[in-house]
Amino acid sequence: MFKQLKSGDEIRIIAPSQSKRASKSAGYNRAKNRLEESGYKISFGKNIDKIAHFGTASAKDRAYDFNEAYADKNVAAVMAINGGWSANEILPLIDWDIVAANPKPLIGFSDITVLHNAIYAKTGNVSLLGPNFGTIGRMTSWQYTLDNL
């Protein structure tokens, strides 16, 4: 089980499915500001903007960001920037020993659900079916979403 998030905790934003650059959401700056105003430190995966095919980085780059986020002791939670497609491509590249040894929530929905299921199946750790980073940047319903996160 993971610890509840508190003010000052770092949330790492990664793109296990669609990349940040592929979606061109104007809401990303709003999402970052809203989370920071709530007291969280926001960091981003190294490969979040890369596109190799169909709006995603290579599976290797996406898995690198996933594994690095779980290995980083400063990161309290990992949040997907978006859903999309192809998160299943990174499953064979995930270092499950690192994930098991560093229980922290993965937060996201849609295509990210495959990662939630795999985390539980491979490690017994739980994650949060919750908003993607982009959802928090929306113009409507964002406060409700953030309050309930």
Side-chain angles (χ1 to χ4, degrees):
M1 189 63 167
F2 52 83
K3 296 177 185 175
Q4 183 173 350
L5 294 178
K6 61 187 181 318
S7 183
D9 280 346
E10 181 178 344
I11 301 172
R12 175 74 48 84
I13 311 303
I14 64 169
S17 293
Q18 189 179 27
S19 82
K20 178 182 176 195
R21 196 176 68 169
S23 62
K24 299 177 181 136
S25 173
Y28 293 145
N29 287 334
R30 283 192 301 267
K32 183 177 185 290
N33 291 338
R34 288 169 179 167
L35 287 168
E36 287 176 340
E37 288 168 3
S38 296
Y40 302 109
K41 179 182 174 188
I42 303 303
S43 62
F44 295 91
K46 172 183 160 185
N47 298 300
I48 202 164
D49 283 315
K50 288 187 177 179
I51 296 177
H53 61 279
F54 302 115
T56 66
S58 70
K60 182 179 174 183
D61 286 341
R62 289 179 283 136
Y64 172 88
D65 284 354
F66 184 96
N67 290 328
E68 200 281 327
Y70 274 89
D72 189 332
K73 300 290 185 191
N74 295 317
V75 173
V78 181
M79 181 180 273
I81 196 160
N82 289 312
W85 50 87
S86 70
N88 61 318
E89 289 181 335
I90 72 169
L91 292 173
L93 304 173
I94 291 174
D95 187 328
W96 295 109
D97 292 333
I98 288 174
V99 176
N102 297 286
K104 57 186 83 173
L106 171 66
I107 306 166
F109 70 99
S110 187
D111 188 45
I112 308 310
T113 306
V114 72
L115 300 175
H116 293 299
N117 290 330
I119 288 169
Y120 184 72
K122 293 284 194 174
T123 70
N125 294 348
V126 296
S127 56
L128 296 174
L129 186 63
N132 292 319
F133 183 70
T135 308
I136 294 171
R138 291 185 180 160
M139 292 301 290
T140 60
S141 303
W142 69 270
Q143 188 65 58
Y144 174 84
T145 299
L146 189 57
D147 289 346
N148 286 285
L149 174 61

